[in-house]
Amino acid sequence: MKRRAGTAAPESADARKRRTAAAAREPLAVRQGSRRASAFLARRSLATHRRAWAAVIVATGAAAALVGAFAFVIGSLLVAAPPVQRYAGADAVVAADQKVSYTAKPWGSEPRTTTAYLPERARLDRSVLAAVAGADGVAQAVADDSVPVSTGDGRPAVGRSWPSAVLTRYALAEGRAPRDATEVVLDGSLAAGGPAPGGRVVLRADGAARTYTVSGIARTGHGGDAPPAVFFTESRLTALAGHPGRVDAIGVVAEPGVSRDALRDAIGAVLPERSGVPGSDRGVRVLTGAERGEAEHVDALGGRGDQLALLGSIGGTVLMVALLVIASTLSQAIRQRSGELALLRAVGASPRQLRSAIGREAGRVSAAAALLGGIGAVPLGLAMRSLLTTGPLPLPVPWWLPPAAALAGGLLVALLARPVAMLAARSITRLRPAAALGAATADEPSEPGRFRDVAGVVLAFAGISSAGVATTQSGQAAGAAASGAAMSLVIAVALLGPRISRIALGVLGRPMRKAGGVSGFLAERAASAHTRRLATAFTPIVLVVAFVCVQLASGPTMERAAGHQASAALRADLVATGGGAGLPAGAAEAVREAPGIAAATGVLRSTVVLADRQAGEPVLTRLPVLGVEARGLSGTLDPRVTAGDLDRLTGRDAVAVGADRAKSLDVGPGDRVALRLGDGTRVEPRVVAVYGHALGLGEFLFPREALAGHVSAARDQVVLIRTGSGAETGSGSGTDPAAAVRRALAPYGGGVVVRAATGDDVAIAPPVSDGDNAVIVIGVGVIGGFALLAVVSTLALITIGRRGEFRLLRMVGTGRRQLRRMLVLETGLVTFAGLVIGTAVAAVPLTAFAVSLAGTAPYLPPVHYAVIAGAVALAAAAGTLVPAASAGGRFALGRRAG
């Protein structure tokens, strides 16, 4: 059998054993001499290749900083807890469990349980209050309910009962406690510059605004940021809350000397196993210490879980990007020295000495990179933390978090650099001296290894296949899933790069030669002779374009399709909103009675939890839904019913289902669907209709009355209004429908706004939330910036390694302008190829979920893509032309050499 030139014969097992035994018998002095030789080679190589290693330090240090910053943010989210404000004066709080669980048996595995937080408050039966009050060590047990309140000028507040004031340590500063339903005690912040005790105040709590007598002013000694409060009598507050048999929570004040643990045990001993609310299987929790904040902000931990899921998905992409950058830069740095390493091997350096020398170099470089990355991880993590919007959930920075994050990023570099560098040099260091002498002057291998080809094809297939996973997600979650599929394709491009390079040259080589003349010929020949180098150059560009396009296009694609569906479904002309507190159900009825109004529909927003399986795994999905009134619905909203009748969407046992969800659940009109409402109540409503505009309106439509008793506050976010075609606008009464609506809603206090209706008023999700914006900024800005830095460092590393080539070209007569133009053409080739391939990589997962979920093609604003292309072109130019001018010096782009 013929052996390929320049390769060594494979070593037999016996030969390896003999070599290992000989090494074991090697004298200590010889081994020490070998280590000294390796240390000498490492020192000399570091000094000789300091420019190349500097580029490696920048890229790997940035990778360490990015990984450490994500560890910083995720660690801060993991230890975050809702603040204790409202219950600062309570020693314990008894509340219903805010989590729901679902157990299922995956394929060929043991049963598994998944949990999800409920977005609406789960309440307790009022009978639990007596049990808690009778527990040992309890001095006082207070039922605590709350209702949204707004003042006459539209300022929001929280309505509470006066007995619950002790839970926040409110005390009367002026006046007295309320005695009847017409009196209230105002928080000092609301009374500032306002009515004094005995004065009058206009409040809107439920229904039309009413005038109350201020009986007192209360202030709290608690230094927290509890929202302003208005205190009613307990009976009045219970009537306003609308659920007389249930309470939001029970606050407990302990007797003097009772410890926290003893109080928890005593209350737990008398509590029922369940909350006692019909239809609910919520357990009962006793919260003490920092846990009390969970009873105040019921969905804070659910929002934290959503952000952790998104950041975890992006963090996985970050880790893959970091691994790719570290491996790419180190491999390129070692590959550029393959001739030098082969020459050292030919003159007698042993494989152990070369591997040890390379390992020492990589170890020193990784130490510098780890130090720089660890230092940079802390400010970068603080900047990312400041961008996250978590509502009431503050993000703490415990003392151990900064060093832990810095250590996480530094360890990544420290653990990977040495083995990656030694692996990159393995093909040279294992050669025999005679074969190494030929390899020292050999050209770059024309064909990649078979393993590399197979791995690239497998990853490409896996990336295309996994793009289908994005079809099961929505919104920003779909973008995160799509970015994971894109990452697999990026790695496949890196492995198949030499072959892709030849395809790119076949397409662009001839036009480049014709357009560039001598420079074009030189650029085409240089790229053809070094396809691996060309592939290494455009791989980070593919990474930037693919990742940023997926992140920027996923949200706008879904929002655009949802907006189109919501606009197509909207039949209303006007919309009324009531600010943060919303509008009570009576507002829609008042609008219907206004002159010139044909129909009015109140819209209540909530969330349901759907238990399902994905690939056999149990999954709990939180889905936003709308609660509407069937009366006059056809005049304000058209969900595009495909089966059934929306006129039957009444009562507490009806639901309309989106067409795609109905297909996945295999339900239709007359069937029942099992759901959990926002407070965890199990329901199985009957399907009365199936509709097509599910992307814009949500996957379930409920009767408003079915949701009203299971939300934290039963307030309509908007009232959709359809004006009559014959409404008088100028003659007769001289009124127009908008003015009539304003007059009808005037009794509901300030803050009510009437304006023209748009699709955003009924869209199930706002265009982009603050939290989503933060994730976009972090994902695109931070990771995209890092990937652009990888473009610059990789291209700079390649350019620095071509100094000998530049000198040779100058020596044989190539002019400065020709050489500079050659570099410009090569940069253009790399940039164009990277943009095209990166766009194609992003298009695969984007098209998969866009066509499946939205029925449209992916959408990316042209301005955004132009910014991406411009940033990539600038980074490529900076990584090529600047190092060529500085590193090449007078030999490359200066005067003619020799």
Side-chain angles (χ1 to χ4, degrees):
M1 175 182 287
K2 292 184 179 180
R3 186 179 301 119
R4 183 180 298 179
T7 60
E11 190 177 21
S12 65
D14 292 338
R16 283 197 300 271
K17 290 180 180 179
R18 289 194 298 269
R19 179 167 53 81
T20 304
R25 295 191 300 269
E26 190 176 30
L28 177 61
V30 174
R31 293 199 298 269
Q32 290 176 344
S34 178
R35 285 195 293 269
R36 285 195 296 268
S38 299
F40 172 77
L41 291 174
R43 287 195 304 270
R44 297 299 298 172
S45 181
L46 278 173
T48 303
H49 302 286
R50 59 184 182 277
R51 291 179 182 271
W53 283 122
V56 173
I57 289 175
V58 170
T60 53
L66 190 61
V67 172
F70 264 84
F72 185 100
V73 173
I74 292 176
S76 182
L77 269 173
L78 286 173
V79 299
V84 181
Q85 300 168 340
R86 177 169 162 181
Y87 296 124
D91 295 298
V93 179
V94 180
D97 190 2
Q98 284 293 139
K99 287 193 295 185
V100 62
S101 61
Y102 171 51
T103 302
K105 187 178 185 301
W107 303 328
S109 180
E110 294 298 322
R112 296 182 184 176
T113 300
T114 184
T115 60
Y117 283 93
L118 296 170
E120 308 286 359
R121 182 178 292 278
R123 295 186 171 93
L124 297 170
D125 190 271
R126 189 170 286 271
S127 62
V128 179
L129 177 62
V132 174
D136 293 337
V138 174
Q140 188 177 2
V142 181
D144 186 46
D145 288 311
S146 66
V147 295
V149 174
S150 61
T151 61
D153 55 2
R155 286 185 293 170
V158 175
R160 301 174 61 188
S161 68
W162 174 245
S164 69
V166 67
L167 303 179
T168 322
R169 296 181 185 149
Y170 273 101
L172 283 170
E174 303 176 52
R176 57 173 174 78
R179 295 175 179 171
D180 56 44
T182 64
E183 294 182 340
V184 295
V185 171
L186 292 183
D187 189 312
S189 60
L190 291 175
R200 311 280 280 178
V201 63
V202 176
L203 300 173
R204 176 166 60 88
D206 188 20
R210 293 183 53 178
T211 301
Y212 293 84
T213 300
V214 179
S215 66
I217 307 297
R219 291 183 172 84
T220 178
H222 174 55
D225 298 324
V230 176
F231 295 98
F232 300 85
T233 62
E234 186 168 12
S235 59
R236 176 59 179 161
L237 191 280
T238 301
L240 291 174
H243 45 82
R246 295 174 290 163
V247 296
D248 289 354
I250 299 172
V252 178
V253 178
E255 294 177 349
V258 177
S259 67
R260 180 186 302 175
D261 293 338
L263 181 64
R264 180 197 294 270
D265 294 341
I267 296 175
V270 300
L271 285 178
E273 183 179 353
R274 301 297 178 188
S275 62
V277 177
S280 173
D281 58 358
R282 302 294 87 224
V284 183
R285 300 181 64 199
V286 181
L287 308 173
T288 58
E291 293 178 338
R292 293 171 296 170
E294 298 178 21
E296 299 183 35
H297 312 284
V298 294
D299 197 32
L301 295 183
R304 183 187 72 171
D306 293 341
Q307 290 220 340
L308 278 173
L310 284 175
L311 284 174
S313 177
I314 297 179
T317 304
V318 168
L319 188 59
M320 294 297 294
V321 169
L323 292 175
L324 185 62
V325 169
I326 291 174
S328 176
T329 52
L330 280 173
S331 297
Q332 180 62 29
I334 299 300
R335 191 182 302 124
Q336 289 180 171
R337 298 169 50 196
S338 58
E340 172 190 326
L341 295 174
L343 185 60
L344 288 172
R345 182 74 181 100
V347 298
S350 68
R352 179 188 295 178
Q353 289 174 331
L354 290 181
R355 286 195 296 268
S356 178
I358 292 170
R360 288 173 183 268
E361 284 185 73
R364 294 175 184 179
V365 169
S366 65
L371 179 61
L372 292 175
I375 294 174
V378 176
L380 183 59
L382 289 171
M384 292 167 58
R385 169 182 169 273
S386 67
L387 293 174
L388 286 178
T389 301
T390 56
L393 193 67
L395 297 180
V397 183
W399 65 267
W400 52 264
L401 186 57
L407 183 63
L411 276 178
L412 175 73
V413 173
L415 293 177
L416 288 178
R418 185 182 178 98
V420 168
M422 296 177 70
L423 183 63
R426 181 171 175 267
S427 61
I428 297 296
T429 58
R430 66 180 181 178
L431 292 179
R432 291 184 177 181
L437 188 59
T441 58
D443 292 333
E444 180 184 88
S446 59
E447 295 290 337
R450 182 175 300 176
F451 175 78
R452 181 170 178 167
D453 282 346
V454 172
V457 171
V458 169
L459 278 174
F461 177 78
I464 295 173
S465 300
S466 63
V469 175
T471 62
T472 64
Q473 307 296 324
S474 61
Q476 296 302 320
S483 66
M487 198 66 224
S488 297
L489 295 175
V490 168
I491 299 175
V493 168
L495 293 173
L496 299 174
R499 299 194 181 278
I500 296 175
S501 299
R502 280 193 287 276
I503 296 174
L505 283 172
V507 175
L508 302 174
R510 181 171 296 180
M512 187 167 60
R513 287 199 306 271
K514 290 183 177 181
V518 173
S519 298
F521 172 79
L522 292 174
E524 192 273 337
R525 295 311 302 166
S528 298
H530 300 280
T531 53
R532 286 194 177 185
R533 185 175 69 193
L534 179 62
T536 303
F538 67 64
T539 295
I541 297 179
V542 172
L543 174 65
V544 174
V545 176
F547 180 81
V548 175
C549 282
V550 167
Q551 291 296 317
L552 288 183
S554 58
T557 297
M558 301 305 298
E559 289 164 14
R560 191 185 194 204
H564 287 168
Q565 287 194 11
S567 297
L570 187 64
R571 294 289 180 268
D573 306 307
L574 302 174
V575 63
T577 60
L583 291 166
E589 184 63 31
V591 172
R592 291 191 192 102
E593 297 176 356
I597 302 303
T601 302
V603 177
L604 178 66
R605 297 185 187 275
S606 185
T607 303
V608 298
V609 180
L610 175 66
D612 201 358
R613 296 190 185 189
Q614 292 181 4
E617 294 288 336
V619 176
L620 286 172
T621 306
R622 304 200 316 177
L623 300 171
V625 297
L626 298 181
V628 296
E629 299 169 286
R631 178 183 176 185
L633 180 62
S634 60
T636 58
L637 207 59
D638 177 20
R640 194 166 65 83
V641 174
T642 58
D645 185 4
L646 277 181
D647 290 338
R648 299 171 57 194
L649 193 65
T650 58
R652 300 177 182 273
D653 190 38
V655 68
V657 186
D660 290 340
R661 182 63 65 178
K663 182 179 180 181
S664 67
L665 295 176
D666 193 22
V667 296
D671 296 328
R672 292 190 175 274
V673 56
L675 297 168
R676 288 180 181 266
L677 299 181
D679 64 348
T681 302
R682 293 177 182 267
V683 295
E684 290 190 23
R686 188 180 301 277
V687 178
V688 298
V690 177
Y691 57 93
H693 288 322
L695 191 61
L697 304 180
E699 298 184 79
F700 296 96
L701 287 177
F702 282 85
R704 186 188 185 281
E705 57 189 304
L707 296 181
H710 303 279
V711 295
S712 299
R715 300 292 187 270
D716 291 333
Q717 276 65 43
V718 297
V719 174
L720 302 176
I721 305 164
R722 178 69 178 268
T723 58
S725 58
E728 297 180 357
T729 58
S731 61
S733 64
T735 61
D736 64 89
V741 171
R742 293 188 184 95
R743 285 195 300 272
L745 293 178
Y748 292 89
V752 177
V753 177
V754 180
R755 53 178 172 79
T758 66
D760 290 340
D761 295 316
V762 294
I764 198 61
V768 180
S769 68
D770 291 339
D772 288 341
N773 269 326
V775 174
I776 291 174
V777 170
I778 291 174
V780 174
V782 179
I783 304 177
F786 164 69
L788 286 175
L789 180 62
V791 171
V792 175
S793 60
T794 301
L795 292 178
L797 182 61
I798 292 173
T799 304
I800 290 170
R802 298 176 63 187
R803 286 177 296 175
E805 177 185 336
F806 296 155
R807 292 191 184 98
L808 181 60
L809 287 172
R810 292 291 285 138
M811 290 176 65
V812 299
T814 306
R816 287 183 300 171
R817 292 183 180 178
Q818 291 175 327
L819 189 57
R820 187 180 293 112
R821 192 177 182 188
M822 180 194 80
L823 290 174
V824 171
L825 290 173
E826 288 185 11
T827 303
L829 172 65
V830 168
T831 303
F832 184 78
L835 285 171
V836 171
I837 299 170
T839 303
V841 167
V844 173
L846 283 174
T847 302
F849 90 87
V851 171
S852 176
L853 295 183
T856 63
Y859 172 73
L860 178 65
V863 174
H864 292 177
Y865 190 83
V867 171
I868 295 171
V872 166
L874 287 176
T880 302
L881 301 180
V882 175
S886 59
R890 60 183 181 275
F891 296 108
L893 300 182
R895 65 177 184 269
R896 183 172 298 180

